Amino acid sequence: MESDRAQGRSATEAGQVPAGLDVLNIAPLIQPSNIEWVLPASKSHAIRWLLMGALNGASMTLHGVDGLGEDAESMRRVLEQLGLRVALSDDAWHLDPPEALSRPSSVLHVGNSGTALRLVAAAVSHTGYSVTLDGDASLRRRGLGDLSTLLLQQGVQVRVEDAHGRLPVELHGPWSEDAPHTSLRRDRSSQPASALLLSSSLLSNGLDIQFEGEPRSSRHLGLSAKIAEACGWPGRLDHEGMHLPCWDVVAPTEVSLPGDASMAAFAMLWVRSTGGSVHLKRWPSVEEALGCELLLDLASDLGLEWSASGHLQATEATGEPVDVDLCDANDLLPPLAALLALGPGGRLHGAPHAVHKESNRIQGIIDVLASFGLKAAPAEDGVVVPGGQRPSSPNRPVDAREDHRLMMTATCLGATVGADIIGSRLHRVADPRFLERLSKAGLSAQVRMLPP
C-alpha cells in the first residue's frame, strides 16, 4: 500500500480496501429538516494569532475560539511545549507568553496542520537548540517543502531521515549572523512566506526576500501581514517580495476570531444535494473571508438562494457553465467541484497548488466524484466538471485520502444515496461539530470497522 500512496494512488483506486479501517456508514436521508449552521472559528486566523501570542511581550486573549478544530488545537499544544501558557474559559483562550521560546522536552507534533508546521518551524529555527517536528501520516508526506531550502541557506541545520525530505525533521538554529538575502518560491504555497514574516521578530538582522513564481493564496499571506502589522510589524510586503526588519511584537490585548468562510461551501453542498435548507451563521466580512467571499456571488449560478439573513435553500441553477478562478481560494475545490456536478457544470482553475495539500486534491476530488458515478476531468490547474449529474450509491468505501475536505464533500453527497466513507474523524481537523450538525438535519451516520 505504501507504494500506491507514494504514487498518489488511493487504496480503493488501487483495488485495495484494507481491513481494520474505520468508515462512516451513511444511510440515505429521508426528509431533511432546516438546521442552524454555525461556521467554526477560522483556523487560519487562530493559528497565526497563537504564534503572535507566544512571541508577544504581554498577555492577550483570543475570543471566539468556539468550534476550533484539531489544527488549531495542535498549534496551541505545541506552543505550550515551547513555554506559552494558555488558560481556557468559555469561548476564549488567555495567552501568557514566555520570555523566550523554551526548549521542548519532546517532539513537537503538529497533527495534520501544514500551517502550524511551517509557522512553528520558522520560529524554532531561530533558537539555539535542536527541535524535532512531526505530524500525522498525511502531513509526513508533505514535509517542510520550500521552507526547508531557505532555512538551510540561512545556516540552520535541517536533518531528515527520509530520502524525500519528509517528516520527522530536526532543526537546529540559530540563523547565521551574516545570513544572505534570499529568494522564495510562491507558486506552491504561501505558508513558508507567512512563517518567515510572522517569526521575523526573532531575526537578529533585517532580511529581504524575493519571491519567485506566480503567487498563490495571496489572501492568506496578506492575512499574515495584517496580523503582524496589528502587532507593530514595520516591514513591507508586495508582489515582488518582503522586507523583514528587526522589530518587537506588541499584540493587542483582545482579539476576536471570525468564522471560517471556506466551511460555508459544505453548507451550500448540503442544501444542493439534499434539498434541505440552512440558516448560516457567523459568516465573516469580505476582508476576513480570505477569498471565499466568491461563494456569495456563485450561489445563484449553482442553484442556491442565499438571503441577506443567511438563509440558504435550493433553487434552479442558471444552466450556464461556471468558470471559477481559485487562485486565492483553492480549499474550495472539492465542494465546488461537487456543486458543479449537481448544478450547471463548469471549470475550476488557478489551483495547481491544490496538489500539495493534505492530498492531491485535484485527483482526489475526481476519484471521490467517480465513486458516486459523477464525472470530472483534470485540467492543467484544476478540474472540468459536466453539469446536470446525479449521484449513485458507491459500490465500495469512498477513500477520502486522509483529507477532511474530501471526507466532508463525500458525506454531503452520501446523504442522498448512502455511502461508506473511510476516515470517520477527518472533519474534526476544521469543524468538529460537522456530523453533529448534520444529525440534527436527519442524517443517520454510524462509525464501523471494515471486517477482515
Side-chain angles (χ1 to χ4, degrees):
M1 171 124 92
E2 178 59 32
S3 61
D4 291 318
R5 289 291 189 189
Q7 297 172 37
R9 302 171 67 203
S10 67
T12 51
E13 182 186 7
Q16 305 163 350
V17 183
L21 290 179
D22 70 291
V23 300
L24 187 69
N25 176 244
I26 299 174
L29 189 64
I30 299 175
Q31 181 63 47
S33 58
N34 178 46
I35 56 170
E36 184 178 87
W37 192 302
V38 181
L39 294 175
S42 167
K43 63 188 179 79
S44 295
H45 287 76
I47 289 172
R48 288 163 172 80
W49 277 116
L50 280 167
L51 180 59
M52 290 296 93
L55 301 179
N56 192 23
S59 299
M60 68 176 293
T61 300
L62 279 183
H63 296 279
V65 300
D66 187 45
L68 277 175
E70 292 174 350
D71 277 4
E73 294 281 358
S74 294
M75 183 66 167
R76 189 192 76 186
R77 183 185 63 251
V78 164
L79 290 174
E80 286 178 316
Q81 290 178 258
L82 294 169
L84 178 67
R85 294 177 295 280
V86 183
L88 311 181
S89 62
D90 293 337
D91 189 24
W93 291 347
H94 306 279
L95 313 179
D96 189 17
E99 291 187 9
L101 297 180
S102 59
R103 183 195 297 266
S105 59
S106 60
V107 172
L108 301 180
H109 198 291
V110 296
N112 184 255
S113 179
T115 304
L117 170 67
R118 294 175 178 95
L119 264 59
V120 171
V124 300
S125 72
H126 291 283
T127 67
Y129 42 78
S130 177
V131 177
T132 300
L133 296 104
D134 202 356
D136 66 8
S138 171
L139 192 59
R140 278 191 165 193
R141 293 195 295 272
R142 298 160 67 189
L144 286 180
D146 296 318
L147 180 61
S148 178
T149 301
L150 186 140
L151 294 180
L152 284 167
Q153 293 171 348
Q154 304 305 315
V156 178
Q157 298 178 46
V158 181
R159 301 188 182 95
V160 292
E161 296 181 4
D162 182 83
H164 300 284
R166 294 174 290 198
L167 301 182
V169 59
E170 180 185 351
L171 302 177
H172 196 165
W175 288 28
S176 301
E177 288 290 333
D178 57 348
H181 298 311
T182 188
S183 61
L184 179 68
R185 292 187 62 167
R186 278 288 317 282
D187 55 344
R188 286 194 284 246
S189 174
S190 68
Q191 289 175 0
S194 285
L196 296 169
L197 192 161
L198 291 171
S199 63
S200 61
S201 64
L202 301 172
L203 286 167
S204 56
N205 296 300
L207 181 68
D208 287 308
I209 296 178
Q210 180 180 353
F211 293 149
E212 293 183 352
E214 186 66 26
R216 303 294 178 185
S217 300
S218 296
R219 293 287 294 277
H220 283 80
L221 181 54
L223 171 65
S224 297
K226 178 184 175 184
I227 288 175
E229 287 168 351
C231 298
W233 179 63
R236 173 187 55 81
L237 168 68
D238 57 31
H239 185 79
E240 302 298 325
M242 299 186 295
H243 172 59
L244 306 177
C246 298
W247 64 296
D248 295 319
V249 177
V250 183
T253 57
E254 310 281 337
V255 172
S256 295
L257 300 176
D260 186 341
S262 72
M263 292 288 110
F266 298 105
M268 296 170 71
L269 180 56
W270 172 261
V271 169
R272 193 73 181 90
S273 60
T274 66
S277 61
V278 159
H279 186 199
L280 190 68
K281 290 191 171 184
R282 206 179 183 183
W283 175 253
S285 67
V286 170
E287 186 179 34
E288 293 176 321
L290 301 178
C292 298
E293 65 276 4
L294 62 82
L295 293 174
L296 267 173
D297 296 332
L298 285 174
S300 60
D301 292 336
L302 296 172
L304 295 161
E305 181 181 320
W306 187 333
S307 73
S309 64
H311 186 73
L312 274 169
Q313 63 183 12
T315 184
E316 289 297 323
T318 62
E320 294 295 325
V322 177
D323 187 271
V324 187
D325 185 352
L326 295 180
C327 178
D328 290 326
N330 74 88
D331 283 338
L332 298 179
L333 189 145
L336 276 184
L339 281 162
L340 290 184
L342 302 181
R347 181 173 72 109
L348 305 175
H349 60 94
H353 46 318
V355 303
H356 303 295
K357 305 298 283 187
E358 286 89 325
S359 67
N360 177 340
R361 281 189 179 151
I362 291 178
Q363 188 58 52
I365 188 56
I366 290 171
D367 292 342
V368 167
L369 293 179
S371 297
F372 289 93
L374 301 172
K375 297 179 181 179
E380 181 180 357
D381 56 355
V383 294
V384 176
V385 187
Q389 303 185 64
R390 292 293 176 265
S392 57
S393 181
N395 57 21
R396 58 185 177 185
V398 180
D399 188 355
R401 300 190 176 207
E402 301 170 34
D403 189 319
H404 65 287
R405 295 185 191 269
L406 294 181
M407 175 267 185
M408 295 167 76
T409 298
T411 299
C412 292
L413 292 173
T416 62
V417 294
D420 283 333
I421 303 168
I422 299 174
S424 62
R425 290 176 51 86
L426 293 174
H427 64 286
R428 298 182 65 84
V429 165
D431 188 357
R433 295 173 183 166
F434 177 68
L435 292 179
E436 175 188 345
R437 188 182 306 120
L438 297 188
S439 70
K440 294 178 180 178
L443 183 71
S444 175
Q446 303 293 327
V447 179
R448 66 182 183 87
M449 303 297 291
L450 288 178

